[in-house]
Amino acid sequence: MSHGFTGTLNAQQREAATTINGPLLILAGAGTGKTRVLTARISFMVNEGINPKNILSVTFTNKAANEMRERIKGMVRDGLGKKVVVGTFHAFCVRLLREFAEHVGYKNNFAIYSQGEQETLIKRVLQTLLVKDETLDPSMALSRISKAKNAGEGLGDPKESLDAAVMEKYMDEMRGLNVMDFDDLIILGVRLLEEHADVRATVQSRHHYVMVDEFQDTNSLQMRLLRALVPAPYNVCVVGDDDQSIYGWRGAEITNITEFENFFPNPHVVKLEENYRSTTPILHTANSLIKNNIGR
């Protein structure tokens, strides 16, 4: 453990950065240096002889992914940081689907619709399905479809439910146009890995070590993606704040943290508790509120 960069970390940060094998859960609040720990961990892994191409680091936003990518380039020796696979869940799934699109009924040159393009399509679908005096708000229809798709559910019988008929027609139109929306990227990425053992084996052979930032914001689909990506002995590291989740509106499940060991048995748990960003009065006020959380 003589690598210079670990000497600048506190004891808990160093423990997190140098625990490589098996499932690792890092509980880290804002200001505790989690991004620094993740980049130090990747640098440590490369110094230990792990091929950077076999390391996958996933986060939620392009901004966070770009920041992580730049930090890794600056910290990992000999320019090897460029070979680490860094990106968002959606970007990872796009690459996966470009390569294996035919397994889920698409061509690999599929387009990805923007919100505006989705609304144009759903309006066209509604025009074909609505009868006189029937109305259905396009944005509301898209919202219901998105929620159902992410929950892995339908909206009922298309012969009996207008919502279900709209969803069926919308999805048929998308497939016919060789188009996906933002939700489809994760949904079809999960289906690809869960239903096609040969693809799953190929992808697992590339990514021996998987890391996920902002784990408290993962939803059930992203958890399924992670489980399909990581076979035993579960070389997976997740970082999250069990008192903070900002994506509850789109299905984020804090239970992915609180029940992590049910998905990946016997995890090593490290808590980063030293805050380098906020003053003592702010921390005291925040903690006095957080302690009232029910079920985290």
Side-chain angles (χ1 to χ4, degrees):
M1 309 298 182
S2 59
H3 302 294
F5 62 85
T6 60
T8 64
L9 305 177
N10 66 37
Q12 290 74 31
Q13 290 174 331
R14 192 176 306 114
E15 180 183 359
T18 57
T19 301
I20 303 304
N21 297 308
L24 172 65
L25 171 60
I26 303 173
L27 298 176
T32 56
K34 62 184 180 66
T35 304
R36 188 160 173 252
V37 168
L38 285 176
T39 51
R41 188 174 189 270
I42 290 171
S43 185
F44 178 81
M45 293 164 74
V46 173
N47 283 334
E48 289 293 293
I50 293 171
N51 189 332
K53 291 181 180 179
N54 295 144
I55 303 171
L56 170 65
S57 180
V58 184
T59 188
F60 274 82
T61 66
N62 288 320
K63 180 181 177 181
N66 290 335
E67 179 185 352
M68 178 68 73
R69 194 176 291 112
E70 289 306 310
R71 288 201 186 196
I72 291 169
K73 285 180 185 178
M75 182 174 284
V76 178
R77 63 178 175 81
D78 302 328
L80 293 174
K82 295 178 182 179
K83 297 182 179 180
V84 177
V85 183
V86 182
T88 64
F89 275 100
H90 290 89
F92 173 77
C93 286
V94 168
R95 289 195 298 270
L96 206 59
L97 291 165
R98 292 285 182 211
E99 185 174 358
F100 300 106
E102 71 278 2
H103 288 74
V104 290
Y106 276 83
K107 299 174 184 177
N108 61 9
N109 64 340
F110 62 84
I112 303 169
Y113 262 8
S114 66
Q115 180 73 19
E117 290 168 322
Q118 286 179 257
E119 290 178 357
T120 297
L121 177 58
I122 200 72
K123 287 175 183 176
R124 192 162 72 239
V125 167
L126 291 174
Q127 286 175 352
T128 65
L129 293 178
L130 294 178
V131 297
K132 188 178 180 180
D133 297 329
E134 271 189 323
T135 59
L136 186 61
D137 180 76
S139 296
M140 185 64 70
L142 282 175
S143 177
R144 289 172 184 163
I145 291 170
S146 176
K147 187 171 291 187
K149 286 165 69 174
N150 279 285
E153 301 171 350
L155 289 173
D157 185 345
K159 295 180 181 178
E160 299 179 358
S161 164
L162 177 59
D163 282 344
V166 170
M167 180 174 179
E168 181 182 64
K169 179 71 172 173
Y170 172 79
M171 293 176 69
D172 286 346
E173 290 283 329
M174 294 280 281
R175 191 174 297 277
L177 292 166
N178 196 37
V179 165
M180 298 182 193
D181 62 24
F182 212 52
D183 293 325
D184 290 327
L185 300 177
I186 303 293
I187 292 165
L188 294 176
V190 169
R191 185 183 303 169
L192 185 63
L193 292 177
E194 288 184 343
E195 297 180 3
H196 299 277
D198 55 336
V199 174
R200 184 168 65 250
T202 297
V203 176
Q204 288 176 347
S205 71
R206 297 173 183 169
H207 306 297
H208 301 172
Y209 296 86
V210 179
M211 301 165 61
V212 182
D213 194 9
E214 304 295 356
F215 188 66
Q216 76 279 352
D217 290 324
T218 52
N219 60 26
S220 59
L221 269 174
Q222 288 156 339
M223 189 68 205
R224 284 169 59 189
L225 182 73
L226 187 61
R227 294 178 71 185
L229 268 175
V230 181
Y234 308 119
N235 292 325
V236 57
C237 166
V238 303
V239 184
D241 184 350
D242 50 347
D243 289 315
Q244 174 181 294
S245 178
I246 64 171
Y247 287 116
W249 56 271
R250 67 112 195 256
E253 298 185 21
I254 195 67
T255 54
N256 285 349
I257 284 187
T258 58
E259 298 179 10
F260 181 74
E261 64 183 335
N262 294 337
F263 304 118
F264 301 105
N266 304 312
H268 187 79
V269 180
V270 178
K271 295 182 179 181
L272 305 184
E273 298 178 304
E274 188 169 346
N275 193 295
Y276 294 92
R277 186 182 302 166
S278 300
T279 62
T280 299
I282 291 174
L283 293 172
H284 176 76
T285 302
N287 289 329
S288 69
L289 295 171
I290 288 170
K291 71 180 181 182
N292 295 312
N293 281 359
I294 299 173
R296 301 307 296 167

